[in-house]
Amino acid sequence: MSYNRLAGRVAIITGGGNGIGRAYATRMAAEGAHVVIAELDKNAGEAAAEEIRNSGRSAIAVHTDVADEASTLALAEACRAQFGRIDILVNNAAIFASVQMSRTYFDEIPIPEWDSMMAVNLRGTWLCCRAVVPVMKERGYGKIINISSGTAFRGPATRIHYVTTKAGILGYTKVLAREVGQFGICVNCIAPGNTASEEEPDPLTLELRTGAVSNRALKRVEVPEDLTGAAVFFASADSDFITGQTLVVDGGATMH
Ligand SMILES: NC(=O)c1ccc[n+]([C@@H]2O[C@H](COP(=O)([O-])OP(=O)(O)OC[C@H]3O[C@@H](n4cnc5c(N)ncnc54)[C@H](O)[C@@H]3O)[C@@H](O)[C@H]2O)c1
């Protein structure tokens, strides 16, 4: 699906080499954006960018660790050097599936894993915004899309460190929206539901994904492409007077 709604825009997708991020990157490129895939997984980032270029669209990969300030500054600089602008930032990178997390109870999570969860999912989002907002300010225009999770609303037992970061993203989105609105920058958030983002899911993951169907109004497994329309909406001029908002995209599991 493509209507060129992002023609000429430069869009950074963090964690765009795998899973849902790859779907955001593919769809935004199909909508005419120059896509920059900022990935820790170098091979996955380059493969995703190459696939987009092979489809006749524009993409580059920049090896990035969102938890590292120097790496995020280098990312913004690479975009400025290549395209002279940044219009869209999707803060999708997280410790979730490709970088595995413990799915255990609160007192069984290793302390170093708690710290790295905060460093990537929360600090990484903040550092990317710190690096990119100055470039957006130069043109008085920008679209930042943060990624939370339906788990932040439901609070399911286990993996409290992950859910805590995703709840943090909800507040982060509101504060940043108020601070950067004066520069023409919109900040919104997508909260995906339980999504089959793995290329080759193991039997347990498959069970987890299909098990989520019974709690939904719409009775099927959620796939990465279910999320791309919301991302294009928040990235496009169609949402120019919307900021500080979170859209839950989960087939009606969470209603608020
Ligand atoms: N799949 C779901 O059920 C689900 C549900 C709710 C929210 N989400 C959120 O959607 C986003 C994508 O999830 P996914 O299912 O595609 O997971 P995923 O693990 O496949 O994708 C995350 C990507 O981030 C990258 N990454 C990890 N650490 C990084 C770092 N330090 N710097 C740069 N890149 C890094 C990984 O290499 C990977 O490509 C995440 O923010 C996740 O929390 C997913």
Side-chain angles (χ1 to χ4, degrees):
M1 202 187 298
S2 168
Y3 305 101
N4 269 346
R5 287 158 76 193
L6 307 179
R9 298 292 188 196
V10 174
I12 298 175
I13 322 291
T14 70
N18 295 297
I20 305 172
R22 191 163 178 156
Y24 293 141
T26 303
R27 175 72 191 274
M28 287 195 182
E31 294 281 358
H34 302 289
V35 164
V36 179
I37 297 175
E39 247 301 344
L40 187 66
D41 181 342
K42 197 165 187 278
N43 291 339
E46 279 167 7
E50 193 180 345
E51 188 180 82
I52 289 171
R53 286 195 299 272
N54 288 344
S55 75
R57 296 294 181 165
S58 169
I60 59 167
V62 179
H63 187 216
T64 307
D65 179 357
V66 297
D68 178 71
E69 185 189 15
S71 186
T72 58
L73 290 170
L75 165 68
E77 203 36 57
C79 293
R80 192 204 293 274
Q82 178 99 5
F83 303 108
R85 59 195 288 168
I86 302 170
D87 303 291
I88 299 157
L89 167 66
V90 185
N91 283 308
N92 167 80
I95 295 180
F96 179 72
S98 301
V99 179
Q100 298 258 326
M101 65 173 158
S102 308
R103 291 175 179 263
T104 52
Y105 289 103
F106 85 99
D107 50 355
E108 293 167 358
I109 288 165
I111 291 172
E113 192 178 308
W114 173 277
D115 290 342
S116 55
M117 188 66 84
M118 300 299 142
V120 175
N121 296 17
L122 278 176
R123 192 176 74 202
T125 295
W126 174 59
L127 288 177
C128 286
C129 293
R130 273 168 61 108
V132 164
V133 164
V135 185
M136 289 179 164
K137 275 165 80 172
E138 286 168 11
R139 290 180 171 262
Y141 182 87
K143 299 282 198 172
I144 296 175
I145 303 164
N146 298 322
I147 305 298
S148 178
S149 164
T151 59
F153 295 93
R154 291 196 316 278
T158 75
R159 67 202 146 98
I160 197 170
H161 53 343
Y162 171 78
V163 178
T164 299
T165 63
K166 293 298 169 178
I169 292 293
L170 301 176
Y172 175 92
T173 297
K174 294 176 192 174
V175 177
L176 190 65
R178 287 206 193 270
E179 292 190 9
V180 301
Q182 61 189 308
F183 308 119
I185 301 171
C186 298
V187 186
N188 290 295
C189 178
I190 297 171
N194 192 326
T195 305
S197 61
E198 302 82 7
E199 262 180 46
E200 288 167 17
D202 56 47
L204 197 73
T205 308
L206 259 183
E207 202 183 306
L208 199 78
R209 302 292 176 232
T210 46
V213 173
S214 62
N215 294 325
R216 293 201 170 112
L218 303 172
K219 300 290 181 197
R220 67 165 171 79
V221 169
E222 181 164 1
V223 295
E225 288 68 28
D226 288 319
L227 292 148
T228 57
V232 171
F233 172 66
F234 281 140
S236 76
D238 287 348
S239 59
D240 273 354
F241 205 57
I242 300 174
T243 195
Q245 306 302 313
T246 292
L247 183 58
V248 181
V249 181
D250 69 355
T254 306
M255 299 188 186
H256 69 115

